[in-house]
Amino acid sequence: MAKEQTEVRELQEGNYVMIEDTPCQINAYSTAKPGKHGSAKARVEAEGVFDGKKRSFSQPVDAKVWVPIIERKQGQVVSIESETVAQVMDLDTYETVTMQIPADLDLSADDNIEFLEFEDKRKILQ
């Protein structure tokens, strides 16, 4: 399992966090102390790394949350199967995998790319 546990107070904008069992990147983080005897609470707004959906949660700052360990890897496009699917070879393991091509990218065979990998999910960055 590629994730570790940490306290909410240690999160920062740009970090990754698991929300609803989905790895998300934090867009906004704020804390508030509600009163004299209440504990501080943190509000985290994030966007799914692989699905792009916005998610948020609010918890005490000493609560434990899961943080995914997402690897950034280098790859090379082996072939383009269709307009939205490419075969990519991982340059570390020489494993060939099939990935979705983001709509804003124009790839061709032999292009070097960067991609994110978490468990069995992958996303092309550039």
Side-chain angles (χ1 to χ4, degrees):
M1 189 169 290
K3 56 186 177 181
E4 61 187 14
Q5 205 169 27
T6 188
E7 289 188 351
V8 173
R9 76 179 74 209
E10 296 174 10
L11 298 175
Q12 296 178 347
E13 290 183 17
N15 288 358
Y16 297 113
V17 66
M18 295 293 287
I19 302 176
E20 299 169 5
D21 287 331
T22 304
C24 299
Q25 186 169 21
I26 298 172
N27 293 332
Y29 176 86
S30 62
T31 57
K33 186 163 171 68
K36 186 175 179 182
H37 301 289
S39 63
K41 302 235 185 308
R43 177 164 176 76
V44 175
E45 294 179 14
E47 183 175 317
V49 174
F50 300 104
D51 61 6
K53 289 184 180 176
K54 291 186 178 183
R55 296 176 174 87
S56 65
F57 70 87
S58 182
Q59 289 187 341
V61 294
D62 58 349
K64 300 278 189 181
V65 292
W66 288 101
V67 175
I69 300 171
I70 298 176
E71 292 185 61
R72 182 180 291 254
K73 294 183 156 191
Q74 302 288 321
Q76 183 175 23
V77 177
V78 176
S79 67
I80 305 292
E81 294 182 359
S82 70
E83 291 183 14
T84 59
V85 178
Q87 265 197 328
V88 176
M89 179 176 67
D90 186 333
L91 293 179
D92 293 332
T93 63
Y94 303 109
E95 175 187 8
T96 303
V97 294
T98 303
M99 291 190 215
Q100 294 288 324
I101 301 173
D104 59 340
L105 275 183
D106 185 29
L107 294 177
S108 60
D110 297 334
D111 282 351
N112 288 328
I113 61 166
E114 275 188 344
F115 64 96
L116 298 177
E117 183 177 67
F118 175 71
E119 294 179 345
D120 60 342
K121 298 177 183 172
R122 294 173 185 88
K123 177 182 178 184
I124 296 174
L125 295 178
Q126 59 180 347

